């Protein structure tokens, strides 16, 4: 197939690497891509957020499938334009993408579908925020209602910090103040064709910048898969996934279809395992980053067939995806100053040495060519991904590779998957 992947991050690089690893070769195009993606696929000069431009390009180049990676093109309606032209696309239309684009919309869908989630208040003024903070109590959870690149959420015991966060987003519209939910978090992806869903394998990501879950929230500093500790609590991964499929994914997909906004693409369920049971923290309308980087390397079936089946409404004919027993761990290398004010333009070195470590590959997030070398162009620069037979082996490999990379002032966590390794 000729496949166009929209996006420029490590998630898109991971998708492209999975497509290229299949036994049947594909012609993979990427827009706009990055320096690492350009080493593996054909990068094209195309604005991924322009519905008309993407549709004309896909039509002119006889693209068989378009895969939308990030959220911005979804909210811009790129999938709608492609479907109107009859081009298969993996990604929801603008209306369905509200599931990520508006947290208030997602809460309403969950309530209508009977999906377990925490309480929330939609606040339009500072006084409404104050009242909601007092009603829920500490720790305080304040979320921007719209897209905020993974940085629109604050969880804090400091009431003034919660108010300041709310003030920063109230100028753009209402915000959500939510009930604090306590417990381990799990990310679980579902492929959907609007009627049926197929689950992938769970992963756990690390949102805080520093070791021990200290520091500000980020877009994600690392992840691992599978989650062996689900065995003790749920009787195994399959039982857990079956429960979430029945209680979360299927009701949401049915509700959205009933409302005339069928969800076609990747439903990302951000879950928390509370003492009262599994609850949804949030939904995303696309593959998660960095969880994709540890889920796809373990996938047995060809990714292309699953994505095309979802895009063409034939997911019911596909077998449930299976995964290897391998362990996958990814560590994000970030620029100095991330997430508030990342310093960019600095040289990257040692990438060949890092990629030569057994079981390791690199997924580029924010890189560009500069002369004969590469430079960092954003906050999260690289994902170092390692697989192994055990968590100890995968962690040893991933940190050996991280240590080989040079980037002045870079940041990374040293405790990704450490607790499960110790366990």
């Amino acid at each position: 197939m000729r496949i166009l992947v929209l996006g420029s991050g490590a998630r898109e690089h991971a998708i492209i690497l999975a497509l290229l690893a299949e036994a049947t070769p594909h012609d993979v195009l990427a827009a706009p891509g990055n320096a690492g993606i350009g080493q593996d696929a054909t990068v094209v000069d195309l604005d991924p957020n322009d519905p008309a431009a993407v549709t004309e390009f896909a039509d002119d180049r006889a693209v068989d499938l378009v895969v939308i990676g990030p959220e911005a093109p979804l909210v811009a309606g790129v999938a709608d334009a492609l479907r109107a032209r009859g081009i298969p696309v993996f990604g929801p239309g603008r209306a369905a993408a509200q599931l990520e684009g508006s947290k208030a919309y997602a809460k309403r869908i969950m309530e209508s579908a009977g999906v377990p989630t925490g309480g929330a208040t939609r606040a339009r003024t500072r006084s409404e925020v104050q009242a909601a903070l007092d009603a829920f109590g500490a720790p305080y959870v304040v979320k921007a209602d719209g897209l905020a690149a993974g940085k629109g959420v604050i969880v804090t015991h400091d009431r003034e910090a919660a108010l300041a966060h709310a003030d920063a987003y109230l100028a753009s519209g209402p915000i959500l103040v939510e009930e604090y939910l306590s417990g381990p978090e799990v990310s679980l992806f579902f492929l959907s064709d609007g009627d049926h869903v197929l689950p992938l394998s769970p992963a756990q990501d690390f949102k805080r910048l520093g070791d021990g879950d200290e520091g500000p929230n980020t877009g994600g500093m690392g992840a691992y898969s599978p989650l062996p500790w689900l065995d003790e609590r749920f009787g195994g991964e399959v039982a857990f996934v079956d429960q979430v499929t029945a209680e979360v994914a299927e009701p949401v997909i049915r509700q959205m279809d009933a409302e005339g906004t069928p969800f076609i693409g990747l439903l990302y369920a951000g879950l928390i395992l509370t003492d009262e049971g599994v609850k949804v923290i949030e939904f995303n309308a696309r593959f998660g980053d960095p969880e994709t980087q540890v889920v796809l390397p373990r996938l047995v079936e060809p990714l292309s067939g699953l994505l095309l089946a979802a895009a063409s409404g034939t997911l019911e004919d596909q077998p449930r995806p299976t995964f290897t027993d391998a362990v996958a761990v990814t560590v994000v290398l970030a620029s100095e100053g991330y997430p508030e004010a990342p310093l960019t333009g600095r040289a990257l070195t040692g990438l060949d040495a890092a990629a030569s470590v057994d079981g390791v590959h690199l997924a580029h997030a924010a890189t560009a060519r500069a002369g004969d070398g590469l430079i960092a162009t954003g906050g999260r620069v690289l994902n170092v991904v390692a697989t192994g037979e055990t968590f100890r082996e995968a962690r040893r490999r991933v940190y050996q590779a991280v240590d080989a990379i040079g980037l002045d002032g870079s940041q990374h966590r040293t405790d990704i998957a450490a607790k499960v390794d110790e366990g």
Side-chain angles (χ1 to χ4, degrees), residues 153-170:
V153 179
I154 188 172
V155 180
T156 179
H157 283 83
D158 186 337
R159 191 173 184 274
E160 290 306 312
L163 278 171
H165 187 80
D167 289 340
Y169 289 100
L170 278 172

Side-chain angles (χ1 to χ4, degrees), residues 1 64-65 88 90 303-314:
M1 287 194 291
D64 299 298
L65 174 67
F90 183 81
L303 178 64
S304 61
L306 293 168
L307 301 184
L308 183 61
S312 57
T314 60

Side-chain angles (χ1 to χ4, degrees), residues 27-62:
D27 179 14
V28 180
L29 313 174
N34 59 43
I37 290 173
Q39 295 172 354
D40 298 307
T42 301
V43 173
V44 296
D45 184 14
L46 178 67
D47 180 359
N49 300 322
D50 186 331
V54 172
T55 302
E56 290 304 319
F57 177 86
D59 202 11
D60 291 344
R61 296 291 293 270

Side-chain angles (χ1 to χ4, degrees), residues 109-130:
I109 289 290
M110 282 187 266
E111 291 168 4
S112 299
V115 169
T117 187
T121 296
R122 192 166 187 250
R124 297 171 178 80
T125 65
R126 199 171 200 268
S127 61
E128 290 179 350
V129 172
Q130 291 172 320

Side-chain angles (χ1 to χ4, degrees), residues 100-382:
E100 176 171 2
S102 169
K103 292 180 175 60
Y105 174 84
K107 284 290 186 182
R108 185 190 66 74
I109 289 290
M110 282 187 266
E111 291 168 4
S112 299
V115 169
T117 187
T121 296
R122 192 166 187 250
R124 297 171 178 80
T125 65
R126 199 171 200 268
S127 61
E128 290 179 350
V129 172
Q130 291 172 320
L133 292 175
D134 293 339
F136 284 121
Y140 304 109
V141 182
V142 180
K143 296 182 178 180
D145 184 47
L147 300 177
K151 307 181 193 73
V153 179
I154 188 172
V155 180
T156 179
H157 283 83
D158 186 337
R159 191 173 184 274
E160 290 306 312
L163 278 171
H165 187 80
D167 289 340
Y169 289 100
L170 278 172
S172 301
I175 58 97
L176 260 65
V177 180
E178 296 191 4
E179 170 191 9
Y180 175 75
L181 300 175
S182 178
E185 296 185 21
V186 176
S187 300
L188 185 54
F189 301 160
F190 296 90
L191 306 167
S192 173
D193 63 3
D195 293 310
H196 306 94
V197 297
L198 285 179
L200 301 185
S201 183
Q204 186 172 68
D205 77 330
F206 295 74
K207 290 295 186 190
R208 297 283 186 171
L209 179 67
D211 287 358
D213 292 328
E214 298 292 333
N217 270 332
T218 72
M221 294 300 292
Y224 69 90
S225 180
L227 310 184
W229 45 269
L230 290 173
D231 294 353
E232 180 178 345
R233 186 159 182 177
F234 291 91
E237 179 177 305
V238 172
F240 171 77
V241 170
D242 286 347
Q243 177 183 333
V244 178
T245 302
E247 296 180 359
V248 175
E250 290 176 343
V252 164
I253 295 304
R254 286 195 299 266
Q255 182 65 33
M256 297 195 72
D257 189 38
E259 295 191 8
T261 53
F263 189 97
I264 300 168
L266 196 289
L267 175 66
Y268 167 128
L271 309 166
I272 189 160
L273 313 187
T274 74
D275 291 339
E276 294 78 35
V278 180
K279 295 188 178 183
V280 176
I281 306 172
E282 65 177 357
F283 288 124
N284 290 335
R286 37 72 190 179
F287 278 105
D289 185 346
E291 299 96 324
T292 301
Q293 289 85 295
V294 293
V295 171
L296 292 188
R298 301 180 52 240
L299 178 65
V300 173
E301 288 76 16
L303 178 64
S304 61
L306 293 168
L307 301 184
L308 183 61
S312 57
T314 60
L315 207 56
E316 188 178 22
D317 300 331
Q318 294 290 316
R320 178 166 170 161
T322 56
F323 295 82
T324 69
D325 292 331
V327 167
V329 177
T330 186
V331 174
V332 172
L333 189 72
S335 294
E336 180 180 357
Y338 176 77
E340 290 88 357
L343 300 177
T344 61
R346 292 177 173 175
L348 278 161
T349 60
L351 301 192
D352 289 342
S356 70
V357 177
D358 285 346
V360 167
H361 68 269
L362 305 180
H364 288 235
T367 62
R369 291 217 161 271
D372 295 331
L374 296 178
I375 59 171
T377 60
R380 292 187 297 169
V381 179
L382 288 169

